Amino acid sequence: MHAIIAPHTGGPEVLEYAETAVPQPGPGQLRFRVAATGVNFIETYQRQGIYPMPFPWTPGAEASGVVDAVGPEVTGFAVGDRVATAEGSACYAEYAVVDADKALPVPKELDLETAAALPLQGMTAHYLATSSFPAGAGSTALVHAGAGGVGLLLTQLLKARGARVITTVSTTGKAELARGAGADLVIDYSDFATQARQFTDGRGVDVVYDGVGKDTFDRSLESLRIRGSLVLFGAASGPVPPVDPQRLNSAGSLFLTRPTLGHHLLDAEERRWRSSEVFGAASEGRLSVRIGARYPLSEAAEAHRDLAGRRTTGKVLLVPDRS
Ligand code: NDP
């Protein structure tokens, strides 16, 4: 089969399209023929060595496909089942193996591309909106990168919960998408703290969901009301330097959390809760999933360049080159 293999850390050019052996499912595992792979920002950090990975390395935690082999001790899945996952490994490939307890059955209403686009960013948006800071009616939230993969989904989930949403974007095209997702106020990054305060009659927003990091962090703190929450969940512009806790005091007894998806899928029950709510909303048309770009698997490097270069919107997918 073909897969992307990075021999070592580096820029997008290290993502080589290569021939390799089809993986074999071990006990408790499934193998599936990949229909589509979700590209996620974390893979750009992993590729650069910001998060250490075992090299040579095949990226990819998120994909969908059809089960073609079932390992020993697996119950509840059979060859031919449609599955997706946010917790796989080496999914930049034509076949991938996943632990059966991390495989999500795909509802019949969803096509396999949508099923690949939803698990990781969808369950991230879900835990941000329900667990990190449960914004609801009466809350005002600021969401950075509102036309991004997480941003479009998070905006919709927050609106469904009754919150008001302000969102930042870098282009007019992205602004249109963010408004389409339901954002009440869409602004650029130039002066967002002032605008967030004006929108809340000087009070400040209840929560900032910040996946941009270095470039926005200070002004995200400035956007918050007294005792507001900064949910820092990513670093698209680079990592935030060390923070003196005293700053949270002087800025208004603020709360700061730095959550990650793995800690919000702790067991089968939590995974079922989040995946069924997200897949259910998409199946019933309450959650719109934008696939902003599809690249052949062989062009994974281009997908990384475009994602890191702010040229994408919504979900970025890789599709195996087979015809
Ligand atoms: P996006 O589709 O949101 O892409 C990133 C966006 O960030 C860009 O399109 C861009 O939007 C914005 N951005 C602002 N400044 C920069 C910059 N200097 N360089 C690049 N992008 C910039 O990506 P995802 O939805 O996949 O992920 C969003 C964030 O969420 C990432 O930081 C990711 O690591 C994080 N994440 C965290 C998870 C967790 O559990 N903690 C899980 C999943 C994702 P614009 O042009 O409008 O500014």
Side-chain angles (χ1 to χ4, degrees), residues 60 63 65 101 120 239 247 253-254 258 266 273 275-276 282 301:
D101 60 357
L120 200 148
R247 284 187 63 193
S253 300
L254 302 180
R258 176 57 178 90
L266 280 183
W273 170 47
S275 63
S276 66

Side-chain angles (χ1 to χ4, degrees), residues 29-297:
Q29 293 185 319
L30 307 171
R31 185 177 69 206
F32 58 100
R33 187 175 193 254
V34 173
T37 298
V39 177
N40 288 288
F41 221 95
I42 193 169
E43 289 131 25
T44 68
Y45 313 143
Q46 292 166 330
R47 191 201 70 230
Q48 295 170 78
I50 296 169
Y51 294 142
M53 304 306 289
F55 285 85
W57 168 67
T58 295
E62 181 179 47
S64 68
V66 177
V67 174
D68 86 318
V70 176
E73 299 160 31
V74 171
T75 53
F77 287 99
V79 168
D81 286 352
R82 300 184 330 142
V83 293
T85 186
E87 301 168 275
S89 59
C91 291
Y92 285 28
E94 291 177 328
Y95 290 84
V97 159
V98 64
D99 293 343
D101 60 357
K102 293 175 178 162
L104 309 169
V106 176
K108 62 179 185 332
E109 296 83 4
L110 292 187
D111 62 80
L112 282 173
E113 288 201 349
T114 305
L118 199 48
L120 200 148
Q121 291 167 336
M123 291 195 287
T124 298
H126 186 273
Y127 88 71
L128 292 171
T130 59
S131 303
S132 298
F133 185 96
S139 309
T140 304
L142 170 58
V143 175
H144 288 307
V150 174
L152 285 172
L153 298 170
L154 178 57
T155 299
Q156 293 176 72
L157 295 187
L158 292 170
K159 289 306 299 174
R161 293 173 62 87
R164 293 197 308 167
V165 177
I166 306 171
T167 187
T168 49
V169 292
S170 65
T171 68
T172 51
K174 290 184 177 187
E176 204 170 309
L177 294 173
R179 272 191 288 274
D184 299 279
L185 177 68
V186 182
I187 53 183
D188 65 26
Y189 293 87
S190 58
D191 197 18
F192 70 78
T194 310
Q195 294 200 55
R197 220 159 258 291
Q198 280 166 357
F199 190 70
T200 52
D201 300 323
R203 180 170 170 269
V205 298
D206 299 281
V207 55
V208 182
Y209 300 100
D210 188 342
V212 169
K214 181 166 72 66
D215 290 355
T216 46
F217 182 80
D218 289 334
R219 289 177 295 149
S220 291
L221 289 178
E222 289 166 23
S223 307
L224 286 163
R225 67 160 164 86
I226 288 177
R227 305 204 308 255
S229 291
L230 175 51
V231 181
L232 177 67
F233 67 96
S237 67
V240 173
V243 183
D244 176 358
Q246 195 56 27
R247 284 187 63 193
L248 304 177
N249 168 359
S250 55
S253 300
L254 302 180
F255 295 86
L256 170 63
T257 182
R258 176 57 178 90
T260 197
L261 178 61
H263 298 151
H264 294 81
L265 299 175
L266 280 183
D267 53 26
E269 194 186 339
E270 189 165 38
R271 185 175 294 107
R272 199 163 34 246
W273 170 47
R274 298 197 192 281
S275 63
S276 66
E277 291 214 345
V278 168
F279 276 9
S283 303
E284 292 162 18
R286 289 180 283 115
L287 182 65
S288 151
V289 183
R290 175 181 170 81
I291 297 170
R294 292 174 184 81
Y295 299 78
L297 176 61

